Amino acid sequence: MPEGEYEAVLARLDALEHAAAEIGTRPEEGTVCAELAEFLVRRVADAAAVDFQPQPPEEGGTATGVAVTAGKGALLDRPVDGPADDEQRTGAVLVLPLRTPQGEDMGRVRVARAAGGFSAHETAVVAHAARLAAVHLGHARRLAATEATALHLQRALVAEPGRPHPNLEIAGRYLPVGPRTLVGGDWFETVRLHFGRSLLVVGDVMGHGLDAAVDMNAYRSALREVAASDLPPHRVLRQLDAVVAEDEGRRPATCLLIQVDPARSTATFASAGHLPPVVFAADGSAELVDLPVGPPLGTGLGGYEPAVRALAPSDTLLLFTDGLVERRGEDIDVSLDRLAALRLPPGSGPEEVVDEVLRRLDARTAEDDVAVLAARRRERPQE
């Protein structure tokens, strides 16, 4: 092999090795396209462009394509030398398909040089990098579809809680974390009971993604069935724990139950490894409820105990998942103290409490999903 050819082969192998490390570092379509374009400019071209066409939506509409350019983009406007799908040609501008090994078309790649053409080895590097990027783009597309399915499922489930007794006014919100993180198993629920009582529920299945959302639905269905027996909250948790523990594939979950009895002006609490709720008084001050905490659901250990406290007509209960308060590197007690230190406008109802708490704790930039549920006794009209 001539010395020049030998050096070209070594350069090609080195480029292929770096391509594997530098393209597809994150499962995001825009990131993959940018990494491909930047790699090609570093290795073989003065300019590179990646034209990626996402998969069209299933129900109407059009998908917005991704176009990423690196280097001296004006060079890409020069005429293409040779047919667009001929991977062995050389020229000032080279155009290759962005296609997976399975034949799935993702778009095209364009590279250009200010002077001279592309050797066979350089063309092979471009083709290899394009195929590698196409594989990563396919993975990103499938991940996005999985995330969308999980998110739609969770939003549909959380958006349709059961109906509490009409003597309660409620408000709830679910905020998923950033779009590149799979949704989790956060949820809330309300169950109407006999004698004017209602059961308020918030839970968090461990983990993220479609499996967590499916498990969340299973917990929610089981809870509705057990709660229909009208047991005290701690006994509902005991039965739910026993039912879930029988399924070894079910993920553990934390859960908080509050049975509200407006006729007796009381609330009965029971917790399975969940953070305590907050009570906002009429003056807008907040108080964390001190209650015993049992193990998460799904362990089969049981050990749940009730706690009862008086509930004034103007008190607003706030149940939430840990994403509302937890911050990276911060002790959870500090996080809870921040919530308890809030002072809301006097007389705030459930909707105002939810909106103010989410805003003041900057929940829309939280590092985990956030689910909150607020409830207050509904005022009866004066006769």
Side-chain angles (χ1 to χ4, degrees), residues 10-11 16 40 72-73 86 88 104 117 123 127 139 161 213-214 217 222 230 239 257-258 262 268 302 322 362 368 383:
L10 290 180
L16 299 184
L40 292 175
K72 302 175 182 178
D86 180 2
Q88 297 303 320
E104 184 178 6
T123 302
H139 291 164
V214 170
N217 186 36
D230 209 358
Q239 288 207 15
L257 305 185
I258 305 179
T268 304
D322 54 13
D362 198 19
D368 197 359
E383 296 182 357

Side-chain angles (χ1 to χ4, degrees), residues 35-115:
E35 290 173 344
L36 173 59
E38 292 164 3
F39 169 82
L40 292 175
V41 168
R42 284 194 301 270
R43 288 286 171 173
V44 297
D46 296 320
V50 180
D51 305 314
F52 170 65
Q53 182 61 42
Q55 189 173 22
E58 292 184 1
E59 297 182 4
T62 58
T64 302
V66 176
V68 178
T69 303
K72 302 175 182 178
L75 296 175
L76 296 166
D77 296 330
R78 299 173 65 174
V80 176
D81 182 16
D85 59 353
D86 180 2
E87 296 188 2
Q88 297 303 320
R89 78 183 177 285
T90 62
V93 178
L94 180 65
V95 180
L96 298 179
L98 193 62
R99 183 181 299 142
T100 68
Q102 293 75 31
E104 184 178 6
D105 285 318
M106 297 287 184
R108 65 175 184 167
V109 179
R110 292 175 289 146
V111 293
R113 272 186 173 156

Side-chain angles (χ1 to χ4, degrees), residues 26-34 52 54-55 66 137 140-141 144 180:
R26 290 190 298 173
E28 301 170 356
E29 294 170 353
T31 299
V32 174
C33 291
F52 170 65
Q55 189 173 22
V66 176
L137 288 169
R141 175 180 291 180
R180 298 318 311 171

